[in-house]
Amino acid sequence: MRTANNWKDYVILDTSDGEKLEKWGKVSLVRPDPQIIWKTDKTDPLWRGADGHYHRSNKGGGEWEFRKRLPESWKISYGALTFNIRPTGFKHTGLFPEQAVNWDFMAEKIRSAGREINVLNLFAYTGGATLACAEAGANVCHVDASKGMVQWARDNAAASGLADKPIRWIVDDCEKFIAREIRRGRRYDAVIMDPPSYGRGPGGEVWKLEDCVYDLVKLCSGVLSDDPLFFLINSYTTGLSPSVMGYILGSVLTEKFGGEVSFDEIGLPVQSTGMTLPCGSTAIWQAD
């Protein structure tokens, strides 16, 4: 497992019985996590005194319980990057800290490339990968279908001192955007994909990532340059293993571009136990 070990402003303090106790800067939160099926003792006093606790409903969804008035948002940093954090209606905070292990990989590849790198970040959410790539010197195209998420990402860029970097902010359906980029002949040296487990098409049709991921990777391969640097895909879908994603990347990309494929779970360290909490999967194709 690849572990995001370099956080200073974020930590998982403990995990038990379907929940994790976290510190986001000075704010403590308890949030649900389906991976946590063990029921160890909750000895940390912050379990009972956390600033916020997200309670799942048996009917789906859930709601926050706050023990004190929190600011509408607050900032945490990862290296040179700064993010605006705020609890949302469905347990999330606007950031997936485990992705820092991927940000570090991308930044290192870009810095060591010795040439200008153009990055396409799809399903780009609040821009963690976008900021990491831009800070490392890449030109980035950031695409997400949610106008609110793109604005959140722009706010994060401003907070990180990256507002003037060459970032294109696009609100669009990712598949439609890729198809147009192919027709326009625009090419990218790196592609990042973090698609949701479930989605709805323009006609309201429901799609599942397991059913669509191969075609999505195949489509995205059409925007790669003649000398691509990397292609990275994330998944939080339990039915889509790292090895399956790795096989998909390999079958689509290695015959044309060579290179190598790696795949693994990504995770976060847990302070109380020394364990690593699995938080999703990543598969990476990279040039030789």
Side-chain angles (χ1 to χ4, degrees):
M1 189 184 304
R2 297 164 58 236
T3 307
N5 285 317
N6 296 324
W7 277 100
K8 307 293 187 215
D9 285 357
Y10 171 85
V11 63
I12 298 180
L13 299 172
D14 198 10
T15 58
S16 181
D17 198 15
E19 294 183 315
K20 55 190 173 186
L21 171 65
E22 310 163 292
K23 287 291 292 292
W24 297 80
K26 296 181 179 180
V27 178
S28 56
L29 300 177
V30 175
R31 296 191 297 152
D33 190 312
Q35 298 267 46
I36 303 169
I37 61 174
W38 49 92
K39 299 180 181 180
T40 49
D41 293 335
K42 295 182 175 181
T43 56
D44 192 308
L46 279 179
W47 278 111
R48 296 177 296 280
D51 299 322
H53 191 159
Y54 188 89
H55 299 280
R56 277 205 182 280
S57 168
N58 293 331
K59 299 177 181 178
E63 62 181 5
W64 284 97
E65 172 194 4
F66 294 108
R67 291 186 171 89
K68 73 174 187 180
R69 186 178 182 88
L70 296 180
E72 182 179 344
S73 66
W74 65 96
K75 291 178 171 59
I76 68 170
S77 294
Y78 183 80
L81 309 179
T82 298
F83 302 98
N84 294 281
I85 303 300
R86 60 176 181 264
T88 66
F90 186 67
K91 86 173 182 177
H92 297 303
T93 62
L95 194 68
F96 292 90
E98 63 275 7
Q99 290 297 331
V101 71
N102 287 329
W103 306 339
D104 291 343
F105 163 81
M106 299 171 204
E108 190 279 328
K109 294 292 289 185
I110 291 165
R111 289 193 176 100
S112 62
R115 57 189 170 99
E116 184 176 85
I117 299 297
N118 295 302
V119 176
L120 176 61
N121 187 15
L122 300 167
F123 310 95
Y125 195 48
T126 59
T130 293
L131 302 192
C133 293
E135 197 274 333
N139 304 311
V140 186
C141 181
H142 173 110
V143 187
D144 197 281
S146 168
K147 183 178 180 180
M149 289 301 148
V150 173
Q151 184 57 54
W152 196 336
R154 294 184 73 134
D155 293 341
N156 286 338
S160 300
L162 299 172
D164 295 331
K165 293 292 185 179
I167 304 172
R168 295 170 63 208
W169 303 102
I170 306 294
V171 180
D172 203 350
D173 176 89
C174 288
E175 291 186 62
K176 288 183 176 179
F177 179 78
I178 298 162
R180 285 200 299 274
E181 291 289 85
I182 291 171
R183 291 196 297 269
R184 286 188 285 245
R186 194 184 295 269
R187 297 292 180 260
Y188 298 87
D189 305 299
V191 173
I192 305 160
M193 284 175 38
D194 198 351
S197 297
Y198 299 91
R200 290 188 178 273
E205 63 275 15
V206 177
W207 63 270
K208 295 172 61 178
L209 181 58
E210 301 101 306
D211 299 332
C212 303
V213 63
Y214 180 85
D215 292 336
L216 194 55
V217 170
K218 186 77 171 176
L219 179 65
C220 289
S221 70
V223 296
L224 287 173
S225 67
D226 293 334
D227 187 19
L229 189 64
F230 66 83
F231 193 124
L232 185 149
I233 180 169
N234 293 302
S235 172
Y236 292 91
T237 304
T238 54
L240 195 58
S241 71
S243 55
V244 167
M245 294 196 302
Y247 180 77
I248 290 170
L249 284 185
S251 64
V252 172
L253 300 176
T254 54
E255 182 176 347
K256 182 176 181 180
F257 297 109
E260 62 180 16
V261 174
S262 58
F263 46 87
D264 208 341
E265 290 182 298
I266 57 175
L268 288 161
V270 180
Q271 187 178 90
S272 63
T273 61
M275 65 172 282
T276 298
L277 177 66
C279 298
S281 302
T282 298
I284 301 170
W285 173 91
Q286 57 185 307
D288 292 325

